[in-house]
Amino acid sequence: MRTEEDDGFLSCSDIEVASVLLANKHKLLRVDRSTPTRSIFCFQRTPGIEKEIESFYSSDLRVDALAYSNARKNLKSIIYSDQNMH
């Protein structure tokens, strides 16, 4: 998983991480679909967001299953829709 931090936002290309962040109420700023084979999810950088990602990869993070499922469905809808979120 690749994350980048720049100008107050954090971006990642991993839909699982993005789903967890969205389910845990992090603000999705945009989805960059300029590369046809990859979407980049850009979140507002907040204190602790990096720690939350680390917790995800170490299997220490708890997330509501329904919120996660809904977040993932919403992100997939954005990816496969004709509209891009800016």
Side-chain angles (χ1 to χ4, degrees), residues 1 3 5 14 20 27 29 31 33 38 40 43-44 46 56 67 70 73 77 86:
M1 197 268 319
T3 63
E5 295 178 47
D14 187 325
V20 166
K27 184 175 181 178
L29 300 175
V31 178
R33 299 186 313 170
R38 189 168 93 184
I40 306 295
F43 287 87
Q44 182 176 358
T46 55
F56 171 82
N70 288 336
K73 286 177 189 175
S77 292
H86 290 283

Side-chain angles (χ1 to χ4, degrees), residues 28-34 39-41 74-86:
L28 180 65
L29 300 175
R30 70 178 177 274
V31 178
D32 178 358
R33 299 186 313 170
S34 57
S39 296
I40 306 295
F41 306 98
N74 290 338
L75 290 176
K76 287 181 105 177
S77 292
I78 292 168
I79 291 171
Y80 297 115
S81 73
D82 290 334
Q83 300 175 357
N84 197 353
M85 183 178 177
H86 290 283

Side-chain angles (χ1 to χ4, degrees), residues 7-56:
D7 298 326
F9 67 90
L10 178 135
S11 61
C12 71
S13 58
D14 187 325
I15 194 169
E16 306 303 334
V17 171
S19 298
V20 166
L21 294 176
L22 193 58
N24 284 340
K25 309 292 186 205
H26 291 280
K27 184 175 181 178
L28 180 65
L29 300 175
R30 70 178 177 274
V31 178
D32 178 358
R33 299 186 313 170
S34 57
T35 304
T37 58
R38 189 168 93 184
S39 296
I40 306 295
F41 306 98
C42 301
F43 287 87
Q44 182 176 358
R45 187 185 321 168
T46 55
I49 194 168
E50 296 89 359
K51 182 72 173 163
E52 198 162 328
I53 293 169
E54 288 174 22
S55 295
F56 171 82

